[in-house]
Amino acid sequence: KNEVEQSPQNLTAQEGEFITINCSYSVGISALHWLQQHPGGGIVSLFMLSSGKKKHGRLIATINIQEKHSSLHITASHPRDSAVYICAVPTGGTSYGKLTFGQGTILTVHP
Amino acid sequence: ETGVTQSPTHLIKTRGQQVTLRCSSQSGHNTVSWYQQALGQGPQFIFQYYREEENGRGNFPPRFSGLQFPNYSSELNVNALELDDSALYLCASSSPGQGHNEQFFGPGTRLTVL
């Protein structure tokens, strides 16, 4: 079993729909990252959170540390939201730069 | 404040050759982590450099080596390239004083080994 599991692997939506991507992890963590990767490769950090909820524009991230589960929500989805969304957790102990990544969720939003 | 930059953006090599990839960390960051992302996979941790010393390594053979300079920029060297080394190589910078887990990623170098 992977340390970080995401679901779904692929998600197709119509513009305006509410999107939810889930992430479960099996290790104790201090924080969890949500990242966005567009075709071409560059990764953008969306959120880093250790408890509760964070909101940025139409993006909302929540985490439940006890249940080892996090969700990323996109409200009023738009075609420009189409990308791969990845959750990642630090698993390196003192090597805190070591992130273990989920396999990613490929989101396609149609107009 | 400049972000994380990587060079080159694309690179084509043949099997057995050696390659050097470069990463400039974000201003004020003293830690650089390198990741390999094969097509269709999530990134895999290669190693991390903190204040010019290797500080943690993933499951990669010794032919993957690195270096960090006094200005905290970093190099990733791969010797005896194999076809499976074809991937996107990402670096990320961070700094303990600014929330030690928050990392800022560069755009990546896409390496193709023929």
Side-chain angles (χ1 to χ4, degrees):
Chain A
K1 191 180 189 304
N2 293 332
E3 290 178 298
V4 184
E5 296 273 356
Q6 280 184 243
S7 63
Q9 291 191 336
N10 288 279
L11 186 55
T12 301
Q14 289 299 123
E15 184 173 356
E17 286 185 358
F18 181 83
I19 303 291
T20 295
I21 300 170
N22 295 300
C23 176
S24 297
Y25 52 92
S26 57
V27 295
I29 64 168
S30 56
L32 179 142
H33 300 252
W34 280 104
L35 309 161
Q36 181 192 57
Q37 187 171 35
H38 280 281
I43 287 181
V44 174
S45 179
L46 298 175
F47 295 103
M48 185 184 70
L49 68 166
S50 54
S51 65
K53 181 169 86 172
K54 284 191 174 181
K55 185 176 188 292
H56 183 240
R58 295 181 294 105
L59 300 178
I60 303 167
T62 63
I63 189 168
N64 185 318
I65 293 289
Q66 287 74 29
E67 295 186 3
K68 296 185 176 177
H69 181 269
S70 177
S71 293
L72 176 68
H73 306 286
I74 305 175
T75 61
S77 59
H78 189 276
R80 65 176 175 264
D81 297 326
S82 298
V84 179
Y85 292 84
I86 308 171
C87 68
V89 300
T91 55
T94 56
S95 179
Y96 53 81
K98 179 185 178 184
L99 294 178
T100 296
F101 294 76
Q103 72 272 43
T105 294
I106 303 172
L107 172 65
T108 305
V109 182
H110 294 293
Chain B
E1 183 180 276
T2 56
V4 179
T5 61
Q6 290 186 244
S7 64
T9 54
H10 294 86
L11 198 53
I12 299 175
K13 291 284 189 178
T14 56
R15 198 170 47 182
Q17 286 189 309
Q18 178 266 343
V19 68
T20 297
L21 311 181
R22 295 179 176 83
C23 172
S24 291
S25 59
Q26 185 160 311
S27 177
H29 287 182
N30 57 17
T31 302
V32 173
S33 302
W34 285 93
Y35 297 88
Q36 179 196 66
Q37 186 177 23
L39 197 62
Q41 306 290 320
Q44 298 289 319
F45 176 75
I46 303 174
F47 43 55
Q48 177 191 86
Y49 277 83
Y50 170 63
R51 292 185 174 180
E52 303 178 57
E53 298 284 334
E54 187 180 289
N55 178 35
R57 189 180 182 93
N59 189 27
F60 280 82
R63 59 189 185 84
F64 285 77
S65 63
L67 200 58
Q68 187 178 32
F69 299 98
N71 67 355
Y72 303 130
S73 66
S74 178
E75 287 182 355
L76 165 66
N77 298 291
V78 187
N79 293 322
L81 284 167
E82 301 177 359
L83 298 179
D84 285 349
D85 295 333
S86 295
L88 179 69
Y89 289 85
L90 295 158
C91 75
S93 75
S94 59
S95 181
Q98 299 178 11
H100 65 86
N101 282 325
E102 184 155 24
Q103 298 196 40
F104 297 84
F105 285 84
T109 293
R110 188 164 296 282
L111 171 65
T112 302
V113 182
L114 303 176

